């Protein structure tokens, strides 16, 4: 049974710092991994999607890496801003096709202090 | 281009009642999934619909049921509501690509 863990559960950093969020999964046979951002009481915004054959994806100040063999992914945020404050969730999918479901971690709550 | 639309945004129901939540997928998407997110937790998979059929189901009781219409929109029905059903319900859609797009969710409070 696939399980996803995110460390740390909460993180507070001063504005301008570079930071790393961690995600680990127990079954390395994943199809893809997706990072999401969630603002309080809101839905999920997709940040980055990494296919199982890829090692990393980049979007602006965000970079996500994937190491399938070790069951780990990291989300790197460069030059953090107060607007980056949110909960960050990672989710894995074990299958492609029409029946793939996302298995989520419990998230990392990020607070960027001005 | 509208993303995933969910209605209503908030809902308060009494224990034992029934509720229907609605979702319109992103244009071009044909697969719809529903998730339940309790406070402080990650979303939990309820079920997924494709071609108007339930294709996969998570560990939820039969009180949770759904439907997908020919235009790909979907409904989530919950019968005999319990206090523990209070949560944010998220709808996600996917097309021929690989990633899911989520709606803003419906906040259900059972009192």
């Amino acid at each position: 049974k696939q399980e996803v863990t995110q460390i740390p559960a909460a993180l507070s950093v001063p504005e301008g710092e570079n930071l790393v969020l961690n995600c680990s999964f127990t079954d390395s046979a994943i199809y893809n991994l997706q990072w999401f951002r969630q603002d309080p009481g809101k839905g999920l915004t997709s940040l980055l999607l990494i296919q199982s054959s890829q090692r990393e994806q980049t979007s602006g100040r965000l970079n996500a890496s994937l190491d399938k063999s070790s069951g780990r992914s990291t989300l790197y945020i460069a030059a953090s801003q107060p607007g980056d404050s949110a909960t960050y969730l990672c989710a894995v999918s074990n299958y492609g096709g029409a029946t793939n479901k996302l298995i989520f971690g419990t998230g990392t709550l990020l607070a960027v202090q001005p | 281009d509208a993303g995933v639309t969910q209605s209503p945004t908030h809902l308060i129901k009494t224990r034992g009642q029934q509720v229907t939540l609605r979702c319109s997928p992103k244009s071009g998407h044909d697969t719809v999934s529903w998730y339940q997110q309790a406070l402080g937790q990650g979303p939990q998979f309820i079920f997924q619909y494709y071609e108007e059929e339930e294709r996969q189901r998570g560990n939820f009781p039969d009180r949770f049921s759904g439907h997908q219409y020919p235009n790909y929109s979907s409904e989530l029905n919950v019968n005999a509501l319990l206090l523990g059903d209070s949560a944010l319900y998220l709808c996600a859609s996917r097309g021929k690509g690989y990633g899911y797009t989520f709606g803003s969710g419906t906040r259900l409070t059972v009192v």
Side-chain angles (χ1 to χ4, degrees):
Chain A
K1 176 188 173 185
Q2 179 73 273
E3 293 182 359
V4 180
T5 303
Q6 291 187 246
I7 294 173
L11 183 63
S12 180
V13 300
E15 181 178 3
E17 272 204 6
N18 303 324
L19 58 100
V20 174
L21 307 181
N22 297 291
C23 173
S24 61
F25 45 94
T26 54
D27 183 353
S28 62
I30 64 169
Y31 184 71
N32 60 42
L33 183 146
Q34 202 164 352
W35 282 93
F36 296 90
R37 168 187 172 136
Q38 185 174 33
D39 292 297
K42 303 296 184 182
L44 276 60
T45 300
S46 179
L47 298 174
L48 291 164
L49 171 69
I50 311 177
Q51 298 299 332
S52 60
S53 59
Q54 299 175 321
R55 296 283 294 183
E56 65 178 335
Q57 283 285 339
T58 298
S59 176
R61 294 182 294 109
L62 305 180
N63 175 277
S65 67
L66 174 64
D67 184 343
K68 269 184 57 176
S69 61
S70 67
R72 293 182 182 184
S73 176
T74 61
L75 179 66
Y76 175 83
I77 302 177
S80 58
Q81 303 171 358
D84 295 331
S85 298
T87 296
Y88 290 81
L89 293 155
C90 75
V92 300
S93 173
N94 282 99
Y95 307 102
T99 57
N100 63 341
K101 65 179 182 182
L102 293 176
I103 302 167
F104 284 85
T106 53
T108 294
L109 177 61
L110 173 65
V112 181
Q113 308 300 329
Chain B
D1 176 28
V4 177
T5 304
Q6 290 188 243
S7 63
T9 55
H10 296 85
L11 203 52
I12 300 175
K13 288 287 189 177
T14 303
R15 275 182 302 174
Q17 284 189 317
Q18 179 265 344
V19 67
T20 297
L21 309 182
R22 295 178 173 81
C23 172
S24 293
K26 184 177 180 179
S27 177
H29 287 187
D30 55 8
T31 302
V32 174
S33 300
W34 287 91
Y35 291 80
Q36 179 195 67
Q37 186 179 25
L39 202 60
Q41 301 296 316
Q44 298 292 315
F45 175 75
I46 302 175
F47 43 54
Q48 182 178 79
Y49 278 84
Y50 173 69
E51 293 185 335
E52 301 179 53
E53 291 187 11
E54 182 182 295
R55 299 290 179 162
Q56 194 174 16
R57 188 178 184 91
N59 189 25
F60 280 81
D62 291 344
R63 298 187 297 109
F64 289 76
S65 63
H67 189 80
Q68 185 179 36
Y69 294 93
N71 67 353
Y72 308 120
S73 66
S74 177
E75 290 179 351
L76 164 64
N77 301 292
V78 187
N79 295 321
L81 283 166
L82 304 173
L83 296 179
D85 295 332
S86 296
L88 180 67
Y89 288 85
L90 295 163
C91 173
S93 70
R94 187 175 73 96
K96 299 306 180 187
Y98 304 106
Y100 278 94
T101 300
F102 279 77
S104 298
T106 294
R107 171 68 64 187
L108 172 64
T109 302
V110 182
V111 297

